[in-house]
Every structure is written in structure tokens, then in C-alpha cells.
Amino acid sequence: MPASLNEIKVKIASTKKTSQITGAMQMVSAAKLTKSEQNAKSFQIYAQKVRAITTDLIGSEMSSGSSNPMLIKRPVKKTGYIVITSDKGLVGGYNSSILKSVMQMLKDEHGQADDYVIIALGGMGADFFKARGINVSYELRGLSDQPSFDEVRKIVNQSVSLYQQELFDELYVCYNHHINSLTSQVRVEKMLPISDIDENEATPHRQPFELEPDRDTILAQLLPQYAESMIYGSIIDAKTAEHAAGMAAMQAATDNAKNVINDLTIQYNRARQAAITQEITEIVAGASALD
């Protein structure tokens, strides 16, 4: 049964309001994305400096074998995964892509639930795993749009501490890597033990450094900070991808709303034209009956 003119007008008005809301949300996400990209670039400067210092300090040790537990590969009995998602929806396929990839990885790599530990950053991920009976050993919700290190310090320190206590033997971070405003890529990066340091990257020096205290004592303090900076960098990257996904989702919603409004407007005009035609026909028929 065709809708009445009033029903179509109500639908048009309602869709216009929805379009205004999604349009505003798109602009908010765009502003957050710009700021997040700036923060990510600023962090890269810090990350490069920390990596350079770490590489210079452990470069000579890697060739001879280091005694630091954060550099030593031990038999893997249990694996830790930090899974980064958003707290809310309205971000398109941002959460589904990472969660689908993690579930497939757990299925392929582990025979039973005791083989891994899940640490969830974001309510969507925590709720997803709990709904499927997967134990979440630690979770963090309510991160700000531009998270500072102080916000994530507890969970980052906790992750590194659990590794040092040998509650798991490897640590991976699973997140969406930001490529551009339209594209993100699922990444699973190994954070511990630290294995991505290339001794060839070490800067050659004419004179050896005199270290006070000794190298091992400095590394014992530096390596946890290096691992923490890597994890924090992944969180910033994931937040940037989240804002980009939110902007794209709201833009798509706004475009769809405009298409619906156009279709409803055409439908309204046709219904109105049909109503006018029917009224004219009735008037003509009534006039003819009087002759």
C-alpha cells in the first residue's frame, strides 16, 4: 500500500535530522583525526630516538649474546595478546576486522584457551571476548580520543611486568594500523621479547662510551621503557585508525541519508502529482455529470 503524503513528509524530515547528526559527527571525527595524526608524527620522533639509544647500547651485546631477559627468547608455553578496539560503535568495520583476525589467529595458533592470555584495550573487544567465553585477564575502557601515556601507563606497565614475571613468554599487539583516511590494515606485531633491533643500525663511534652505571644496569631500566614506548605507539596508531574509520562511516551514512531524501522527495512529488491528477479527474467527472 503506497504511503500517504504526510507519511512521506515525516520520513523526509526524520532523515534530514539524521543526516545533520551524521554530518556533524563526520566533522568531529575529521577534527580528531587531524589532531591524532599530528600526535602520531610527534611520537615517531621520540620513538626513533629511543630506538637509536637502545640500538647503540645493545648492538655489541647482540652479537655476543645478551643476558637481559627481555632480549632472550625462551620456550613459548603461553602467549600474551594486547587487542586494541574502540569503546563504542559507529566506526564501520574497524572493530570487526581486528576481532575477526584475532579469532582466526587464536584458532590457528593455539589448541586450547590455556595457551594464551588476552589483554583488551576498548570495551568492544572486552565484551566480544567475554560473550564467547574467552577469559580477559585485564581490560581498559574509556580511553580519551587523544590518549596520553599516563592514561595507558597502568596496562602497559602491567603487560611488561607480566612478561618479566614469565606469566607468558611472548607478547603481541593486535590493532588496526592507520594508512590514510580511507584505509587501515590489521597488524599483529611482536613486542616481547625484543627481537627487532638490528645491530647493524648502531651508530659507529670513534671512542667507546664510558657508562655509569654499567651497561646491564642501564639496559635493565631502558628496555622496559623501550617496550612500553612501542606498545604506546601502537595505541596511538590504532586511535588514529579509529578516528579515520569513524569519519568514513559517518560520511557514508550522510551520503546514504541524502540518497534516501532524494528518493523520498521523488516519491512525494509523484504521490502529490497523482493526488492532484485524481482531484482534477474527480472535478471533471463531476462537471460532466451536471451537463
Side-chain angles (χ1 to χ4, degrees):
M1 182 178 179
S4 67
L5 289 174
N6 286 335
E7 290 175 343
I8 298 174
K9 286 177 68 176
V10 170
K11 289 181 180 179
I12 292 175
S14 175
T15 307
K16 283 183 178 179
K17 291 179 181 179
T18 301
S19 176
Q20 291 172 352
I21 293 172
T22 55
M25 294 175 68
Q26 177 190 344
M27 290 188 289
V28 170
S29 294
K32 291 178 181 178
L33 174 60
T34 300
K35 188 172 182 179
S36 190
E37 287 178 332
Q38 293 173 349
N39 291 342
K41 290 179 181 179
S42 299
F43 174 78
Q44 286 302 316
I45 299 173
Y46 167 79
Q48 290 169 3
K49 293 296 183 182
V50 172
R51 182 181 177 88
I53 294 172
T54 306
T55 303
D56 287 348
L57 281 173
I58 70 175
S60 60
E61 284 201 352
M62 292 187 72
S63 56
S64 59
S66 174
S67 59
N68 192 289
M70 298 191 71
L71 297 172
I72 298 174
K73 294 182 179 180
R74 54 187 187 235
V76 180
K77 300 176 183 178
K78 183 172 290 189
T79 304
Y81 295 99
I82 299 177
V83 183
I84 305 174
T85 61
S86 67
D87 282 312
K88 301 177 181 178
L90 301 178
V91 287
Y94 174 83
N95 292 312
S96 61
S97 60
I98 184 64
L99 293 173
K100 181 179 179 181
S101 297
V102 170
M103 289 300 292
Q104 187 62 47
M105 180 178 60
L106 295 179
K107 180 181 178 181
D108 295 339
E109 300 294 333
H110 303 287
Q112 53 188 1
D114 292 337
D115 292 342
Y116 57 86
V117 174
I118 297 293
I119 300 171
L121 270 71
M124 296 296 288
D127 293 339
F128 175 87
F129 291 120
K130 289 179 179 179
R132 284 154 182 79
I134 298 175
N135 181 44
V136 177
S137 62
Y138 196 90
E139 65 179 83
L140 179 63
R141 301 171 184 256
L143 278 180
S144 65
D145 295 320
Q146 313 297 333
S148 65
F149 186 76
D150 287 338
E151 283 187 79
V152 298
R153 183 188 299 275
K154 186 175 181 180
I155 194 168
V156 170
N157 291 350
Q158 180 79 0
S159 301
V160 176
S161 177
L162 290 175
Y163 174 80
Q164 292 175 321
Q165 296 171 22
E166 299 189 11
L167 269 70
F168 47 78
D169 306 295
E170 288 182 324
L171 178 64
Y172 291 85
V173 175
C174 312
Y175 67 102
N176 281 304
H177 165 61
H178 174 67
I179 298 176
N180 54 50
S181 58
L182 298 175
T183 310
S184 63
Q185 182 183 56
V186 174
R187 279 192 177 180
V188 179
E189 294 185 345
K190 186 177 182 179
M191 295 295 170
L192 293 170
I194 297 172
S195 58
D196 66 334
I197 298 294
D198 185 356
E199 58 182 293
N200 296 321
E201 295 180 13
T203 304
H205 300 282
R206 294 182 179 180
Q207 297 293 331
F209 285 112
E210 293 185 5
L211 302 175
E212 181 66 32
D214 60 273
R215 184 186 300 270
D216 288 339
T217 303
I218 295 175
L219 284 176
Q221 295 294 322
L222 179 62
L223 289 178
Q225 294 180 24
Y226 175 73
E228 290 165 3
S229 70
M230 291 171 62
I231 297 172
Y232 178 59
S234 300
I235 295 172
I236 293 178
D237 193 357
K239 270 293 180 181
T240 307
E242 178 186 336
H243 297 323
M247 184 185 71
M250 292 303 99
Q251 181 178 356
T254 302
D255 293 341
N256 289 337
K258 290 179 179 178
N259 292 334
V260 170
I261 291 171
N262 290 336
D263 292 341
L264 287 173
T265 301
I266 293 173
Q267 185 180 350
Y268 175 81
N269 291 337
R270 286 177 177 172
R272 185 167 177 269
Q273 183 179 14
I276 293 172
T277 302
Q278 183 177 356
E279 289 178 2
I280 294 174
T281 302
E282 291 175 352
I283 292 172
V284 173
S288 300
L290 294 174
D291 293 341

